[in-house]
Amino acid sequence: MQFALPASMSARRTAAFSRVGLLGMVPVGQSHFREAMDATIGSQIAPRIVTDAD
């Protein structure tokens, strides 16, 4: 029973450290997602302008 508390605390520290790392990557992921959406929309707009001009 004496081993349970240190092991539990170690597991909680590891999980917390992992969560902090993942949360730190969220803004970067959102930025890349936004850039990809802009590129996709831009590539869809160009052909529509050309076909509408005809």
Side-chain angles (χ1 to χ4, degrees):
M1 196 66 148
Q2 292 177 359
F3 181 71
L5 183 59
S8 173
M9 294 305 291
S10 177
R12 294 181 96 191
R13 277 193 300 257
T14 302
F17 184 76
S18 299
R19 276 190 231 118
V20 168
L22 288 172
L23 287 175
M25 293 189 310
V26 168
V28 175
Q30 286 179 334
S31 173
H32 287 297
F33 179 74
R34 191 171 294 122
E35 290 172 8
M37 287 298 296
D38 290 345
T40 301
I41 291 170
S43 67
Q44 291 173 353
I45 290 174
R48 287 183 186 181
I49 291 173
V50 171
T51 56
D52 288 346
D54 291 337

